[in-house]
């Protein structure tokens, strides 16, 4: 159990923003918490699940997670859900209705924006959802504020009958800071009280609640003006004053310690009276916000003059000192310190790759051999790496579960050039349960000619190996019913004879099965069944090595894509017909090799054999 869980009140702990939020949610007396893992929000629920007196779950997707939290709130329990920015897109249907219906127990939605795209397909700004749903938005700048705002958000939610968005960014989620914690506040659960005019959102009932939503926004405006999270800091350099929020404040204060700054933590509704007070003190106002010019547009619409923002600063990425100083100093005509300018250089290329023995490699090795005959739609997960070297075996990746619908669209929009190409959709087990099931049903219902590769590695691999409904384990590692993918896809309408469960390490079988199914003009599902090598379900076996004298340099093993295999030397050989063969003689790092034997099946001359595992070297021990 973590130190944060065991910490006594008034303890000072070094916590990431995610851990701090978990502590704050628990101290606020929350009883229900749900999430779907997604970087950078994943650790919030993992940390929260360690606390007592609270129910926490991995839901199958973010919409379900929010609905679980809404159900808890309707029943009078303080409830919480967490997701990354693209997750709120998934949850938006439920979100936009609960903003009208309101809450009973406090309802807090933590949304983590991946500013800088460290692990996401886009860089959207979740603050827009606050405007769209007319709900308050809180933005912490560090772990201490994340903890405090998590607690305050429940009070705000109940006092104003509204969900509250806690908008985070990657830097807040993952950077650690000192946090002083308190103790858990017991909150009684009132229980669900039927009220059809409120909870049954027919048009007539929803229409009757809209005036309350509008009136609430006016009250929240006044609250934001007086909020202790919104602080106007004076400064001696009045040439420019800044309006900012979140971690941008930390960077800004480091760069311009003498400038007046309006630091906003309660960012929607924007406290316009405080903005006007700042504007009266300075010559120019610059809005520093990640990523969209959201506050800038609202402040400009309010008539604030001499206003700047995205005309000086970029709309993408973090606003760190090396971005802020050149932009603002250039605007003011001040010299740019050399320490903020960095020479441009190209780092040594290190593209991401799959782990040694990853069960996805055999699938992509086979797909690469069929590349000219197929179109391949991909999905969100570790297997997105199949788009890279050496496989180059994905054509599309858009969003969670999109491989299904995109594959059907490709099938229905064939041209003369693609009419004879097979369409393959690649999707992982967690993603299939998240959003892929509906897509497969749509393919079956509309008689699509698509071969689906369902890669079951018994984990949510891309976000760190979380459990899901297909693993047989719950959030806390407890045993749960495990989804049977064969029976599930059959229930969705796929013919039993078109469903194949195979071992992805058996390369000839993988290739033969794919080749067989793409020739049949109807829906097929090929399910691979080997666990992620980093999961608790994986068992290592004897590793392999290359026998140098037997290696012919054919390079087939390199095409598997295993990072344990490297090229030891290369040479060119002129054939009898004058063509030049590039030979690649390889070696295997036996300390990294897990013995999956995919490379063995790719090796023509049988130069790869089992080898004793390399012994670990103890630091300081003589070799």
């Amino acid at each position: 159990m973590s130190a944060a869980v065991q910490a006594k009140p008034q303890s000072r702990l070094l916590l990431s923003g995610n851990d701090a939020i978990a502590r704050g949610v628990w101290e606020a007396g929350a009883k229900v918490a749900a999430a779907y893992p997604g970087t950078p929000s994943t650790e919030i629920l993992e940390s929260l699940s360690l606390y007592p007196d609270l129910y926490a779950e991995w839901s199958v997707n973010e919409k379900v997670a929010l609905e679980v939290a809404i159900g808890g709130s309707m029943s009078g329990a303080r409830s919480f859900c967490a997701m990354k920015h693209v997750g709120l897109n998934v949850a938006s249907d439920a979100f936009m209705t609960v903003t009208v219906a309101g809450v009973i127990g406090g309802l807090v939605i933590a949304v983590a924006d991946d500013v800088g795209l460290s692990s996401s397909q886009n860089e959207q700004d979740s603050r827009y959802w606050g405007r769209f749903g007319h709900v308050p938005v809180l933005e912490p700048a560090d772990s201490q504020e994340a903890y405090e705002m998590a607690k305050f958000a429940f009070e705000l939610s109940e006092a104003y009958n509204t969900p509250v968005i806690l908008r985070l960014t990657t830097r807040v989620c993952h950077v650690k800071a000192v946090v002083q914690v308190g103790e858990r506040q017991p909150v009684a659960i009132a229980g669900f009280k039927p009220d059809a005019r409120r909870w049954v959102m027919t048009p007539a009932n929803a229409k009757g609640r809209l005036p309350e939503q509008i009136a609430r926004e006016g009250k929240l405006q006044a609250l934001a003006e007086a909020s202790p999270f919104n602080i106007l800091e004076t400064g001696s350099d009045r040439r420019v004053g800044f309006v900012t929020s979140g971690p941008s404040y930390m960077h800004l204060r480091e760069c311009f310690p003498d400038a007046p700054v309006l630091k906003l933590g309660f960012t929607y509704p924007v406290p316009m009276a405080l903005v006007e007070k700042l504007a009266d003190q300075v010559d120019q106002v610059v809005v520093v916000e990640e990523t969209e010019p959201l506050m800038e547009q609202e402040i400009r619409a309010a008539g604030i003059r001499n206003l700047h923002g995205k005309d000086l600063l970029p709309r993408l990425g973090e606003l760190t000192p090396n971005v802020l100083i050149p932009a603002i100093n250039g605007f003011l005509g001040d010299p740019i310190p050399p320490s903020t300018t960095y020479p441009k250089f190209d780092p040594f290329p290190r593209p991401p790759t799959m782990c040694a023995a990853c069960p996805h490699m055999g699938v992509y090795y086979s797909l690469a051999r069929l590349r000219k005959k197929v179109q391949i739609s991909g999905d969100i997960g570790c297997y997105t790496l199949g788009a890279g070297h050496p496989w180059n075996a994905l054509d599309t990746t858009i969003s969670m579960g999109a491989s299904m619908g995109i594959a059907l669209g490709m099938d229905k929009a064939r041209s003369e050039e693609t009419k004879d190409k097979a369409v393959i959709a690649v999707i992982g087990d967690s993603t299939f349960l998240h959003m892929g099931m509906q897509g497969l049903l749509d393919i079956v219902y509309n008689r699509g000619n698509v071969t689906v590769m369902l890669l079951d590695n018994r984990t949510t691999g891309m976000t760190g190996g979380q459990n899901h409904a297909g693993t047989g384990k719950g959030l806390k590692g407890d045993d749960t019913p495990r989804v049977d993918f064969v029976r599930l896809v059959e229930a969705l309408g796929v013919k039993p004879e078109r469903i194949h469960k195979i071992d992805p390490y058996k390369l000839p079988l993988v290739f033969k099965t794919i080749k067989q199914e793409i020739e049949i003009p109807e829906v097929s599902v090929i399910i691979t069944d080997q666990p992620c090598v980093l999961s608790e379900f994986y068992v290592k076996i004897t590793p392999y090595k290359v026998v140098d004298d037997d290696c012919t340099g054919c390079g087939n093993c390199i095409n598997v894509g295993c990072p344990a295999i490297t090229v030891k030397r290369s040479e060119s050989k002129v054939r009898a017909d004058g063509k030049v063969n590039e030979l690649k003689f390889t070696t295997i790092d036996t300390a990294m090799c897990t013995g999956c034997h995919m490379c063995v099946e790719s090796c023509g001359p049988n130069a790869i054999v089992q080898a004793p595992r390399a012994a670990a070297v103890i630091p300081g021990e003589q070799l």
Side-chain angles (χ1 to χ4, degrees):
M1 189 171 289
S2 72
V5 177
Q6 299 173 320
K8 295 180 180 179
Q10 308 312 312
S11 298
R12 290 169 59 83
L13 306 171
L14 187 64
L15 300 178
S16 68
N18 283 345
D19 289 335
I21 291 164
R23 177 75 188 202
V25 169
W26 177 73
E27 286 188 20
K31 279 286 188 179
V32 175
Y36 182 82
T39 304
S41 70
T42 304
E43 297 82 7
I44 301 175
L45 247 286
E46 290 181 329
S47 180
L48 192 53
S49 71
L50 301 176
Y51 289 90
D53 307 321
L54 177 143
Y55 170 77
E57 72 167 41
W58 286 131
S59 304
V60 295
N61 64 32
E62 295 86 357
K63 180 175 181 288
V64 173
L66 179 54
E67 289 161 349
V68 169
I70 291 171
S73 172
M74 287 178 173
S75 301
R78 288 189 166 182
S79 301
F80 172 82
C81 69
M83 59 199 71
K84 67 184 295 179
H85 59 293
V86 289
L88 191 48
N89 301 340
V90 177
S92 60
D93 194 6
F95 169 75
M96 290 302 293
T97 300
V98 76
T99 63
V100 178
V103 305
I104 299 296
L107 177 59
V108 177
I109 306 166
V111 185
D113 285 2
D114 190 9
V115 177
L117 285 86
S118 62
S119 183
S120 303
Q121 65 268 40
N122 64 40
E123 189 189 40
Q124 69 191 50
D125 193 328
S126 295
R127 295 178 301 164
Y128 277 106
W129 288 109
R131 279 75 173 164
F132 201 10
H134 305 281
V135 300
V137 177
L138 305 177
E139 291 188 68
D142 60 15
S143 297
Q144 181 68 49
E145 284 195 347
Y147 159 79
E148 292 171 356
M149 288 183 183
K151 295 176 67 174
F152 170 71
F154 285 102
E155 299 174 9
L156 176 61
S157 175
E158 292 170 351
Y160 289 85
N161 187 28
T162 179
V164 176
I165 291 177
L166 186 61
R167 190 248 184 168
L168 314 166
T169 66
T170 303
R171 190 165 291 270
V172 172
C173 290
H174 290 165
V175 172
K176 293 188 176 183
V178 174
V179 178
Q180 182 168 317
V181 301
E183 58 187 328
R184 182 165 167 86
Q185 171 189 348
V187 179
I189 300 177
F192 180 73
K193 293 179 174 57
D195 183 354
R197 295 188 63 182
R198 181 173 184 182
W199 303 128
V200 181
M201 283 283 98
T202 60
N205 290 343
K207 189 182 297 184
R209 295 198 60 81
L210 290 177
E212 182 178 335
Q213 183 188 57
I214 295 169
R216 178 181 74 202
E217 199 162 29
K219 296 174 184 176
L220 289 169
Q221 178 76 52
L223 185 66
E225 297 288 358
S227 173
F229 292 122
N230 294 335
I231 304 168
L232 179 55
E233 300 176 349
T234 59
S236 57
D237 186 352
R238 296 175 178 265
R239 293 177 299 167
V240 62
F242 298 97
V243 180
T244 192
S245 63
S248 297
Y249 166 77
M250 299 297 192
H251 300 310
L252 191 62
R253 185 45 82 199
E254 176 185 343
C255 298
F256 304 102
D258 299 323
V261 176
L262 175 55
K263 176 188 178 297
L264 299 181
F266 192 148
T267 60
Y268 183 75
V270 175
M272 211 58 69
L274 285 175
V275 176
E276 291 172 354
K277 189 173 181 180
L278 171 72
D280 289 340
Q281 299 177 10
V282 297
D283 298 331
Q284 307 279 343
V285 176
V286 176
V287 181
V288 179
E289 55 186 328
E290 299 171 342
T291 52
E292 299 287 344
L294 205 59
M295 292 192 298
E296 178 188 346
Q297 291 172 349
E298 293 176 3
I299 294 169
R300 192 178 302 280
I304 301 297
R305 296 186 177 182
N306 299 324
L307 183 70
H308 300 273
K310 296 305 179 185
D311 56 329
L312 304 177
L313 300 168
R315 290 181 61 167
L316 67 158
E318 293 184 293
L319 299 180
T320 51
N322 62 301
V323 174
L324 289 172
I325 292 176
I328 303 303
N329 282 32
F331 170 64
L332 294 174
D334 291 344
I336 299 173
S339 60
T340 63
T341 58
Y342 300 93
K344 187 175 181 180
F345 66 94
D346 294 322
F348 184 81
R350 188 185 178 190
T353 189
M354 297 178 193
C355 302
C358 175
H360 303 332
M361 288 193 297
V363 172
Y364 285 118
Y365 177 77
S366 298
L367 291 176
R369 294 173 65 190
L370 294 165
R371 198 65 185 91
K372 294 181 179 180
K373 299 179 179 180
V374 297
Q375 298 177 93
I376 309 170
S377 64
D379 228 297
I380 303 296
C382 294
Y383 47 90
T384 307
L385 294 167
H389 184 78
W391 314 284
N392 304 311
L394 280 185
D395 293 313
T396 71
T397 299
I398 299 298
S399 63
M400 292 286 281
S403 60
M404 299 292 165
I406 288 173
L408 181 59
M410 287 178 167
D411 175 45
K412 300 300 184 183
R414 294 180 183 272
S415 66
E416 280 298 313
E417 182 183 349
T418 62
K419 66 179 181 178
D420 296 324
K421 284 192 174 184
V423 177
I424 297 177
V426 181
I427 192 167
D429 49 344
S430 182
T431 306
F432 182 75
L433 297 174
H434 178 282
M435 274 290 173
M437 291 186 288
Q438 301 93 324
L440 178 57
L441 179 60
D442 196 56
I443 294 171
V444 173
Y445 174 62
N446 291 292
R447 300 182 183 279
N449 179 11
V450 176
T451 300
V452 176
M453 301 295 305
L454 203 174
L455 310 184
D456 179 12
N457 65 354
R458 292 194 71 178
T459 192
T460 311
M462 192 175 188
T463 52
Q466 291 73 31
N467 290 315
H468 59 71
T471 67
K473 298 287 183 179
L475 172 58
K476 297 184 179 182
D478 50 312
D479 291 334
T480 64
R482 184 186 176 194
V483 169
D484 184 327
F485 285 106
V486 171
R487 294 175 62 187
L488 177 56
V489 299
E490 185 178 348
L492 291 171
V494 182
K495 295 177 182 178
E497 60 269 26
R498 298 275 68 80
I499 303 171
H500 303 273
K501 190 172 183 178
I502 62 173
D503 183 345
Y505 292 148
K506 297 180 178 179
L507 298 188
L509 176 62
V510 174
F511 182 79
K512 177 183 176 182
T513 307
I514 296 174
K515 194 170 185 298
Q516 166 191 303
E517 291 306 311
I518 64 176
E519 298 294 334
I520 299 170
E522 57 187 57
V523 185
S524 300
V525 177
I526 302 171
I527 304 167
T528 63
D529 186 30
Q530 282 287 354
C532 170
V533 297
L534 301 180
S535 75
E536 62 182 293
F537 307 109
Y538 187 78
V539 179
K540 290 184 178 181
I541 56 178
T542 306
Y544 288 88
K545 67 177 183 178
V546 177
V547 179
D548 293 341
D549 292 341
D550 295 337
C551 181
T552 62
C554 69
N556 286 343
C557 59
I558 288 291
N559 292 331
V560 172
C562 179
I565 304 172
T566 55
V567 177
K568 185 166 63 174
R569 64 184 177 87
S570 301
E571 65 179 57
S572 299
K573 183 176 181 180
V574 180
R575 297 181 351 188
D577 59 4
K579 291 186 178 180
V580 178
N581 273 358
E582 295 295 333
L583 303 181
K584 297 179 179 180
F585 297 88
T586 61
T587 185
I588 296 175
D589 183 345
T590 55
M592 185 185 296
C593 176
T594 63
C596 72
H597 68 74
M598 282 189 286
C599 59
V600 177
E601 299 196 18
S602 72
C603 182
N606 297 319
I608 300 176
V609 299
Q610 288 188 323
R613 185 173 299 280
V617 178
I618 301 173
E621 187 175 291
Q622 203 169 20
L623 295 176

